[in-house]
Amino acid sequence: MQTVAVLPRGPFSKGRRKAIERTLSGVEVLDNAAVLPESEEVEYGRFVAGSSVLVGGKVGGSRLTYVSGYSSGWLFNTSRKFFPRKSGVSAELELEPETYRIEIDTPGSGLLELPGYRLKNGVLLLYTTPGYRFVMPKESMTLETKDGYVQLSLTPLERGMKGRVEQYPDKKRYVSVVLRGKSVGDILFYQEESAGFRYEFLKEPTLIVSHEKVLSPQALQRAMNGFIGLSGHGEFTLILEAGKAREEMEFTVEPTWE
């Protein structure tokens, strides 16, 4: 299991930074547990954070602004909350398989829904458990246009999907395929010619160490080297567009351990 540290920025966050770094230096990360140096009060639950751009200039075509991003000078409206389910005193924190959700777009707005632990000082030890089953109601989508039609063929993979877009008759028109989550979307395909694409969710189990006043989609994006995309479990939507024509298909990503 890899470990990602999400640290605060700015001169007024030294206390939180030190708390995170102290936990990082002492925790032992196993395949299915995080072991603290000594027993302490912990809460197990779910951390939810959402961010949207409050100030920033939109870029991109009018039909794709919600996935294209924003210009420089971003100001985010961010909400964070930890929802505890149970509490106790322990040094060994079990990382039992649990559903999760990460959605981050170009500027860093999006949604986090992560299981894990909160220490008494506000430090979070959250985690992701990969293991996906893509359940789609049909294997293809067909979109009628004013002068023909577009077909999207889909094949579920172990960690995602692959698809192929074909235009009939064969002509140049821009076609887009967007994967939409609860908060943001990601462009899987956008071009004029018939072609294929491939999209996969995160494959490596990850322990995220941060603080309840620090962690956000944009902070996690920085810690994950600019990650942009969607990953996790639950309901998603595929959107197929060509010109003014549009078709949507909802599908589910189920965990493989249930």
Side-chain angles (χ1 to χ4, degrees), residues 125-145:
L125 292 97
L126 310 174
Y127 60 97
T128 66
T129 309
Y132 318 104
R133 182 184 300 109
F134 282 68
V135 182
M136 298 184 175
K138 51 187 178 181
E139 298 178 347
S140 65
M141 298 172 64
T142 301
L143 185 65
E144 293 188 5
T145 64

Side-chain angles (χ1 to χ4, degrees), residues 99-101 129-137 156-161 179-180 199 201-202 230-238 250-258:
T99 61
Y100 79 94
R101 191 87 164 212
T129 309
Y132 318 104
R133 182 184 300 109
F134 282 68
V135 182
M136 298 184 175
L157 304 173
E158 182 181 0
R159 293 187 299 270
M161 71 181 83
L179 176 64
R180 181 76 185 177
Y199 193 88
F201 284 2
L202 297 172
L230 290 80
S231 186
H233 306 93
E235 303 296 322
F236 294 86
T237 303
L238 272 177
E250 295 182 354
F251 68 95
T252 304
V253 179
E254 299 176 347
T256 56
W257 57 84
E258 290 187 350

Side-chain angles (χ1 to χ4, degrees), residues 145-147 150 167-175 191-194 242-243:
T145 64
K146 63 180 181 180
D147 52 2
V150 176
Q167 300 199 43
Y168 303 95
D170 188 14
K171 64 176 296 180
K172 291 186 180 294
R173 70 163 75 80
Y174 273 104
V175 177
Q191 63 183 63
E192 290 181 306
E193 310 223 351
S194 299

Side-chain angles (χ1 to χ4, degrees), residues 203-222:
K203 66 178 182 179
E204 188 169 359
T206 303
L207 179 69
I208 299 167
V209 183
S210 189
H211 191 280
E212 62 180 336
K213 301 297 185 182
V214 172
L215 185 58
S216 65
Q218 62 268 28
L220 181 60
Q221 183 183 59
R222 290 193 299 267

Side-chain angles (χ1 to χ4, degrees), residues 19-41:
I20 297 169
E21 292 175 339
R22 189 163 49 246
T23 300
L24 278 169
S25 64
V27 69
E28 179 185 4
V29 183
L30 308 177
D31 288 340
N32 57 359
V35 183
L36 302 174
E38 57 184 19
S39 295
E40 58 179 286
E41 293 182 27

Side-chain angles (χ1 to χ4, degrees), residues 10 13 16 32 44 52 92 123 154 168 185 188 248 257:
S13 303
R16 293 168 186 167
N32 57 359
Y44 178 80
S52 59
E92 184 172 335
V123 170
L154 298 163
Y168 303 95
L188 311 188
E248 296 187 6
W257 57 84

